[in-house]
Amino acid sequence: MNTIKKVHANLNRDLKIIGLLRVMFDPRVTLQQQVSAQLEGHFGDKVFRAIVPRNVRLAEAPSHGIPGVVFDKAAKGAQAYMAFAHEMIERAKTF
């Protein structure tokens, strides 16, 4: 938040945050669950519903020179990024 505030104050007064995307999320980690809940509590509907999980197939994609959503379209991570893209398109219409 401090970085966003500094950029807004010093570099770009028109900066607006469309939303927050949770990535590399592992629901088995209690701290990640707590941070996610705090984000939702503090930022409300600014937090995207899509959550990108930690995913081996996404991590493998760059070594093949292919985007994760192309490398393995069926991977949970790729599907989450696609869900985010759809959500972002809808949100951008109202922004």
Side-chain angles (χ1 to χ4, degrees), residues 53-72:
R54 184 173 292 277
N55 188 259
V56 173
R57 297 299 282 170
L58 285 179
E60 292 173 342
S63 65
H64 294 276
I66 302 171
V69 295
V70 175
F71 181 66
D72 185 352

Side-chain angles (χ1 to χ4, degrees), residues 3 7-8 10 37 65 81:
T3 301
V7 169
H8 183 265
N10 300 310
Y81 270 117

Side-chain angles (χ1 to χ4, degrees), residues 27-88:
R28 299 169 297 177
V29 178
T30 303
L31 178 60
Q32 290 184 19
Q33 292 174 6
Q34 292 170 344
V35 170
S36 182
Q38 288 176 347
L39 284 172
E40 290 173 343
H42 189 273
F43 293 101
D45 59 1
K46 283 280 190 193
V47 180
F48 287 102
R49 291 182 310 276
I51 299 174
V52 181
R54 184 173 292 277
N55 188 259
V56 173
R57 297 299 282 170
L58 285 179
E60 292 173 342
S63 65
H64 294 276
I66 302 171
V69 295
V70 175
F71 181 66
D72 185 352
K73 294 177 185 176
K76 288 181 180 182
Q79 291 176 352
Y81 270 117
M82 293 303 293
F84 161 67
H86 291 290
E87 192 175 349
M88 179 65 172

